[in-house]
Amino acid sequence: MRQSSTLVDPTAENLSAERHRLKPPAALDGLTVALLDISKPRGDIFLDRIEEKLGAKGLSTKRYRKPTVSKKAPNEIFDHIVDECDIVVEALAD
Amino acid sequence: MALPTDGLVLVVKRDCPTCELIAPVAKTLQDSNRLSHVLSQDDPSFPDGLDVIDDRELEGSFGLDIEIVPTLIRRESGTETARAIGWHRGEWQTLTGDDSLGLDLPEQQPGCGSLSVAPGMNEELRVRFGDAGLKSRTVSVGYPDDEIEQMFDRGWTDGLPVVPPTPARVLRMLDGTTRPADDIIGNVPPSLTACSIEKAAVNAVMAGCRPEYFPVVIAALEAAIEPNFSWYGLLSTTMGVGPVVVVNGPVTKRIGMNWGMNVLGHGNRANSTIGRALQLISSNVGGAKPGGIDRSTLGHPGKRGVCFAEDETDETWESLATSRGIAPDTSAVTVFAGCGASVFMDQISKDAGSLAKSLASGLRGVGHPKHVQSYGAMLVLSPEHWQVFKRAGWSRSNVHEAIHDASIRPGEELVHGAGGITEGMPLQFADGDHAKFADDALVITQAGGHAGLMSVIIPGWDAGSTGTIPITKEIKS
């Protein structure tokens, strides 16, 4: 009878930590909203409108922009957003 | 099997004329209690009439590091103190201290190869009886489960069956490089997980590579993980794009790569498996799974892996690697971020200038005909198209320059709305003229069958420092 066989694992052998999304805040009052432009065409137009609408509600916003859509955002941008803002709106696609 | 600690040990196999020749000598030695152990690799009843240890599993032969049979060994307190290989009367007499041994035999006769060193056997024995040294965890597939199906179920494949990466196959792949198995090649996106030589070898086995292809896989991986290549971007973009690997130098002949007919198609093992190994590494080590991080809208068949050799048979053609700073006659890979290839026909132009303009007209369509300074492109120039340029005395750089010049368009034709097409460049491009490609964004190679007035355009991805830059790396052993 044929024996069992042994295979060498080709994967990284690590599992991604599963992180649950934070619950959305019940209200936006007093929060600062990060508006992240990933440099996709027309992302700025979308975020201009969001900024305008949030401003009309008296909310403060801060703008951030990735240098290029093609590469992951530098860690400094993440650090600034975490330090300065409470929630993020990202213009993901054109 | 515990190795004999003291005495004379003889290793033989029946399927060896020299072992048959010395069988009477072995009997003489054992009958006089001078031969303590006889190991037979293929038949425990051989030599006839002797007390023989069955070594068909080859554990003893492996432990004694036997390469040739017969081999006669003297061991004292667990250490080998003398060894005679094959039959050499003088050596056997010295080793046994018996001047009358084998006087009726020829002076010497070479032995035969030990079964423990038959091709592929050494790795099997290292796994079974030695320390294979592999760090990866192993997965046991019990009979009658099918390992091919198990690998599909575990998500290890690219949708096609893969070669089961048994420990012995992985060891054989590791023999293809001089680098230690635990060397880290670098971090593989998108998870940016460190990839060892061993993990690369496991995936190269699965892709179907032979060990001699492995240095090419390693070099291609080193090139692809360079930050400027932006593999992370390729793996996560909605554009269907993946590494196109072009191989140059002596290695292409040595491992039997194809640079001729059907060069971008199927049929050649090295071409088909080297690029596939790179893709499997990104998927299995880096975690780039379609529908997961891999967000490609359409993909393309070449995302399974594209690899080919450049045609370097015409010495007047400067190779891609040489044009990118690699010394002549040095093996190298170049990785380019490529989308699906398309053929470009021009069967009429016999004049170099006409053909350059013609090719430029096709290349202008890369991405979008109104986009400039945006994408890269690879032009795979067929030998017949190259001949048109060669007859005019042109070099690679002449071809490149002529195509660049012919690609220049007035900005007013390129901007949003021009030609009744909303898509296009921002309005500030309206002033002046613009070449299709930024510096170094157009890569020209030469390959293909020697009949056919057609070339291939492989459209690229976002080119330059904000996107991807082709990377060339020397292939080391």
Side-chain angles (χ1 to χ4, degrees):
Chain A
M1 182 180 283
R2 209 190 71 179
Q3 303 286 310
S4 63
S5 58
T6 300
L7 306 176
V8 185
D9 190 338
T11 72
E13 297 180 41
N14 51 18
L15 293 172
S16 306
E18 194 170 327
R19 298 191 187 104
H20 297 285
R21 283 185 191 169
L22 294 175
K23 284 187 179 169
L28 297 176
D29 301 333
L31 301 182
T32 303
V33 182
L35 301 175
L36 177 59
D37 181 350
I38 66 165
S39 293
K40 270 270 184 185
R42 293 198 291 245
D44 53 346
I45 297 170
F46 171 72
L47 291 177
D48 286 348
R49 285 288 287 152
I50 296 292
E51 187 171 29
E52 194 181 303
K53 285 180 169 292
L54 292 177
K57 290 175 183 266
L59 292 166
S60 63
T61 54
K62 279 181 176 282
R63 297 289 287 259
Y64 303 90
R65 190 167 199 269
K66 274 176 63 176
T68 167
V69 67
S70 306
K71 297 185 178 177
K72 99 186 231 303
N75 288 339
E76 295 77 44
I77 288 188
F78 291 123
D79 293 342
H80 279 300
I81 290 175
V82 169
D83 288 346
E84 299 162 7
C85 302
D86 302 292
I87 60 172
V88 185
V89 175
E90 180 176 322
L92 195 57
D94 47 352
Chain B
M1 174 193 287
L3 295 176
T5 53
D6 287 283
L8 282 179
V9 183
L10 176 65
V11 184
V12 294
K13 67 177 183 185
R14 183 184 284 280
D15 185 25
C16 164
T18 306
C19 295
E20 296 270 12
L21 177 79
I22 58 92
V25 174
K27 183 157 178 51
T28 301
L29 287 170
Q30 196 173 68
D31 285 350
S32 54
N33 296 321
R34 287 179 287 170
L35 184 59
S36 55
H37 299 81
V38 179
L39 279 65
S40 177
Q41 294 185 337
D42 57 351
D43 181 356
S45 68
F46 172 79
D48 299 339
L50 267 68
D51 183 14
V52 172
I53 297 171
D54 181 356
D55 195 37
R56 283 178 293 182
E57 290 292 311
L58 300 172
E59 183 178 3
S61 299
F62 175 73
L64 291 165
D65 199 17
I66 303 298
E67 294 186 352
I68 300 288
V69 287
T71 289
L72 183 65
I73 297 171
R74 175 174 293 288
R75 289 175 65 82
E76 297 174 45
S77 303
T79 304
E80 178 176 326
T81 55
R83 175 177 291 224
I85 296 168
W87 166 252
H88 189 287
R89 192 197 301 140
E91 289 181 4
W92 279 57
Q93 288 178 348
T94 303
L95 211 152
T96 58
D98 181 353
D99 291 345
S100 65
L101 202 67
L103 292 174
D104 55 336
L105 299 186
E107 172 102 13
Q108 61 178 353
Q109 182 166 309
C112 304
S114 167
L115 291 178
S116 56
V117 294
M121 183 59 79
N122 182 260
E123 293 80 10
E124 295 286 350
L125 297 176
R126 279 167 64 195
V127 172
R128 237 184 295 165
F129 306 121
D131 177 13
L134 298 177
K135 300 281 197 302
S136 303
R137 76 168 185 147
T138 54
V139 174
S140 188
V141 182
Y143 180 80
D145 287 345
D146 185 322
E147 61 266 74
I148 302 286
E149 297 300 331
Q150 284 264 332
M151 290 188 288
F152 276 113
D153 292 345
R154 289 175 181 275
W156 292 356
T157 82
D158 51 10
L160 287 171
V162 290
V163 176
T166 60
R169 288 192 178 119
V170 174
L171 289 178
R172 271 176 227 131
M173 188 60 64
L174 287 168
D175 279 346
T177 178
T178 57
R179 290 182 62 172
D182 57 358
D183 253 17
I184 298 298
I185 301 169
N187 294 334
V188 176
S191 65
L192 297 176
T193 302
C195 181
S196 64
I197 291 285
E198 178 180 317
K199 282 293 179 194
V202 179
N203 284 280
V205 167
M206 291 166 63
C209 292
R210 292 175 59 86
E212 54 266 38
Y213 309 166
F214 192 38
V216 186
V217 174
I218 294 171
L221 181 57
E222 286 176 330
I225 61 177
E226 282 270 327
N228 281 338
F229 184 62
S230 198
W231 203 10
Y232 186 102
L234 270 61
L235 292 167
S236 53
T237 179
T238 48
M239 278 180 77
V241 59
V244 173
V245 182
V246 184
V247 187
N248 282 107
V251 72
T252 58
K253 275 187 188 168
R254 195 161 65 237
I255 66 175
M257 292 193 73
N258 181 22
W259 57 79
M261 287 168 62
N262 203 40
V263 64
L264 298 175
H266 58 289
N268 178 280
R269 182 169 172 182
N271 290 36
S272 298
T273 59
I274 292 169
R276 189 189 189 202
L278 202 57
Q279 190 280 331
L280 285 172
I281 290 168
S282 75
S283 170
N284 285 326
V285 180
K289 303 289 184 187
I293 289 289
D294 186 333
R295 308 303 296 172
S296 178
T297 307
L298 295 162
H300 71 89
K303 281 191 74 183
R304 286 203 179 85
V306 180
C307 178
F308 64 97
E310 188 173 38
D311 185 346
E312 299 179 60
T313 55
D314 182 344
E315 290 180 357
T316 62
W317 173 256
E318 182 188 23
S319 83
L320 177 62
T322 308
S323 75
R324 296 179 60 80
I326 299 290
D329 294 324
T330 303
S331 296
V333 296
T334 299
V335 291
F336 169 82
C339 301
S342 60
V343 74
F344 179 84
M345 304 295 297
D346 185 331
Q347 298 179 301
I348 305 296
S349 293
K350 300 289 188 257
D351 167 76
S354 167
L355 184 56
K357 290 190 182 94
S358 184
L359 288 164
S361 72
L363 285 159
R364 283 203 301 273
V366 166
H368 190 283
K370 289 173 67 183
H371 287 175
V372 292
Q373 307 284 303
S374 305
Y375 307 105
M378 176 174 279
L379 172 64
V380 185
L381 201 60
S382 72
E384 272 211 282
H385 270 175
W386 161 236
Q387 286 301 316
V388 173
F389 294 123
K390 184 180 175 179
R391 279 196 294 272
W394 286 22
S395 65
R396 159 192 280 281
S397 59
N398 294 139
V399 176
H400 203 289
E401 195 177 341
I403 290 175
H404 172 273
D405 292 348
S407 78
I408 295 172
R409 309 302 299 165
E412 61 195 24
E413 293 181 9
L414 305 171
V415 294
H416 297 312
I421 301 168
T422 310
E423 179 60 275
M425 300 303 291
L427 293 175
Q428 60 264 34
F429 276 74
D431 294 333
D433 299 330
H434 305 280
K436 175 72 179 178
F437 301 106
D439 288 346
D440 296 333
L442 175 63
V443 175
I444 303 179
T445 64
Q446 200 235 134
H450 281 246
L453 280 157
M454 63 195 78
S455 289
V456 160
I457 292 170
I458 303 177
W461 192 54
D462 293 345
S465 59
T466 58
T468 179
I469 295 172
I471 304 289
T472 300
K473 288 266 180 192
E474 186 178 334
I475 299 168
K476 296 178 177 165
S477 61

